[in-house]
Amino acid sequence: MLVERRRTALPGELLTRVGAVWVFVCALLLTIHWAALISGPVLGAERGFDLAEAPPGILTFILAPVFGSQIAHTASSVLMPLLTLGAAMLLSAHVSWKLLGDEEATLTALILAISVPVLVQLAPTRLDFYGWQMICALGAINGMMLRTPRLGGWIAGGSLAAWLEISIHSWPVIAAIAALLGLRWLQNREERFVAVAAVQSFTVFSAVFTFLAMPLGEAITPLAAASFVHLGILAWGSAVLTILAKLEPLPRGRIAVGFAFAIVGGVVIALVTAPYWLPSIAAASGAGPIWSWMPGPGLQYAITPFIGLIATINLASRSHQWLRKFWFDYAVILGAALAASVLLGQIGAVACVLAAPPLAWQARSWFRSIRSMRNPAPRAFALIAVALALLPSLPMVVASYAGANVMASPLIQ
């Protein structure tokens, strides 16, 4: 039976386990990308002010007085993706550490270390906004894990506000989390504190990010108008849910009516203001659907999260009480990320990161079964199957490498 282990938030053993994996992966990535390090940073798409640009800018500002602006910028472009990878490993492994076990935490970090979508987005010198989406999603999950309702709600809401500020394509997963928080409230009125804190945090942080992104003295652009509409909807929902929480205890039917009132009000605000914000939203482009990347990267983006989703459902079926509800919610969030990634490829890396903890639990179960096999042949086939589950694009990589070597052979020159 799976049980929650209430431990210190970031114990030394967890930091040591994740740190060892991170150092090894950093050394490997720096070796692989040495040519890119010499040529310079790979910049992401220009999008004006971006919240994701703040951490590299802060790191450059700290290093510039010591090393000079040019070296500081280069060092920031190399270090920030690696630090982001370390943060993703730590936040993901923390879920496994608290809810699954020590070995699962290490396996979670290792799974991220071999995840092609994660490593592509967090390669050294790659400066774009996709990597920080993973941190925001994991921050929301860790907030929902906390047993202190208001603090957990504020962490989750702030993480989701940052995620939406970074990418408009995050809305399907954010909508799924909002629906889960509302469902929790309907099932247990004590959960209202988490839902209200999350929506209040979402509103406050969204307002802060919006006003920070707005240049002084310039005309309001369609994108800025969309941000104001977004703030209006959030403020309306936050006010309605705050009042509803103050009126508790209420019958579930009245709570559901209050939710409907908040949703309908938000829809009316969106429809009335559609001419101002719809053009900027329609202009937002994505990286394309997952099937456009088949059969190479698309396999990793689709198969790994799907196996993680099955593992999460198994975890929910074997758990009890609070853990059962948490893993059910986790399955819904992971399923929403996987479904969104079918049409919006950017969410695929987020789905891979979210799949890591349940996939680590499943991999450990597979390894235990493999160790009990006495015949070498079935054991070898089982290990190959596990490798393909964790790295579905491995055959493509091997075939590509073998083909390159054949073409370079003197025999065919």
Side-chain angles (χ1 to χ4, degrees):
M1 182 180 68
L2 295 167
V3 295
E4 179 188 10
R5 307 184 305 167
R6 300 194 181 188
R7 295 177 158 189
T8 308
L10 294 174
E13 186 179 351
L14 174 62
L15 294 174
T16 301
R17 288 171 178 265
V18 175
V21 176
W22 177 72
V23 169
F24 173 77
V25 174
C26 286
L28 184 62
L29 288 176
L30 290 173
T31 302
I32 294 173
H33 294 276
W34 182 252
L37 297 180
I38 298 175
S39 61
V42 179
L43 299 175
E46 290 291 336
R47 310 187 319 150
F49 172 86
D50 193 331
L51 180 64
E53 296 174 358
I58 293 172
L59 185 57
T60 302
F61 178 78
I62 294 172
L63 296 177
V66 180
F67 301 102
S69 58
Q70 184 62 39
I71 296 178
H73 177 72
T74 303
S76 176
S77 69
V78 174
L79 291 176
M80 188 49 62
L82 298 178
L83 293 174
T84 307
L85 175 61
M89 285 183 174
L90 186 59
L91 289 172
S92 187
H94 180 254
V95 177
S96 300
W97 176 266
K98 192 171 183 181
L99 303 183
L100 297 172
D102 303 352
E103 293 184 19
E104 285 84 352
T106 306
L107 280 173
T108 299
L110 288 170
I111 287 172
L112 289 187
I114 63 173
S115 176
V116 174
V118 175
L119 296 182
V120 166
Q121 302 299 344
L122 297 176
T125 74
R126 184 180 177 92
L127 296 179
D128 62 15
F129 59 96
Y130 294 127
W132 284 98
Q133 295 189 64
M134 308 176 203
I135 304 300
C136 295
L138 290 170
I141 292 294
N142 277 268
M144 294 176 68
M145 274 176 50
L146 289 182
R147 303 305 289 269
T148 307
R150 288 186 175 88
L151 178 60
W154 272 86
I155 292 175
S159 299
L160 295 178
W163 190 5
L164 189 60
E165 175 67 23
I166 291 171
S167 174
I168 190 70
H169 303 111
S170 60
W171 70 264
V173 184
I174 294 176
I177 293 176
L180 287 172
L181 292 176
L183 183 61
R184 280 186 176 187
W185 186 348
L186 285 174
Q187 293 174 340
N188 179 6
R189 57 174 46 96
E190 293 300 319
E191 295 285 348
R192 71 185 185 275
F193 299 111
V194 181
V196 172
V199 72
Q200 290 174 346
S201 173
F202 202 148
T203 304
V204 169
F205 280 100
S206 294
V208 171
F209 297 148
T210 297
F211 286 105
L212 284 177
M214 189 167 300
L216 296 176
E218 294 187 9
I220 296 179
T221 63
L223 188 59
S227 299
F228 280 118
V229 173
H230 158 234
L231 287 180
I233 294 172
L234 285 177
W236 165 259
S238 179
V240 172
L241 294 184
T242 301
I243 295 172
L244 195 62
K246 295 291 185 182
L247 296 177
E248 283 277 36
L250 292 172
R252 286 189 175 87
R254 293 186 181 180
I255 298 174
V257 170
F259 288 169
F261 187 58
I263 294 171
V264 170
V267 171
V268 169
I269 294 174
L271 291 177
V272 170
T273 58
Y276 300 98
W277 59 265
L278 192 57
S280 63
I281 300 300
S285 61
I290 251 182
W291 60 78
S292 66
W293 304 346
M294 291 294 184
L299 290 174
Q300 190 81 28
Y301 280 82
I303 294 178
T304 302
F306 180 75
I307 297 175
L309 178 61
I310 301 301
T312 309
I313 295 172
N314 290 335
L315 275 170
S317 66
R318 300 187 184 192
S319 304
H320 301 276
Q321 299 178 353
W322 180 87
L323 265 183
R324 186 183 186 91
K325 291 190 297 182
F326 174 81
W327 286 120
F328 170 77
D329 293 349
Y330 200 100
V332 173
I333 296 170
L334 178 54
L338 178 58
S341 68
V342 172
L343 296 176
L344 301 170
Q346 295 95 329
I347 308 297
V350 175
C352 290
V353 166
L354 294 178
L359 195 56
W361 170 81
Q362 185 63 71
R364 185 169 183 263
S365 176
W366 286 336
F367 290 143
R368 283 199 302 264
S369 300
I370 291 172
R371 281 197 297 265
S372 65
M373 295 179 180
R374 297 183 178 180
N375 195 325
R379 181 182 297 181
F381 282 114
L383 287 172
I384 293 173
V386 172
L388 291 177
L390 299 178
L391 194 59
S393 58
L394 181 61
M396 303 292 176
V397 175
V398 173
S400 176
Y401 180 76
N405 286 341
V406 169
M407 294 302 296
S409 173
L411 297 177
I412 61 172
Q413 296 299 320

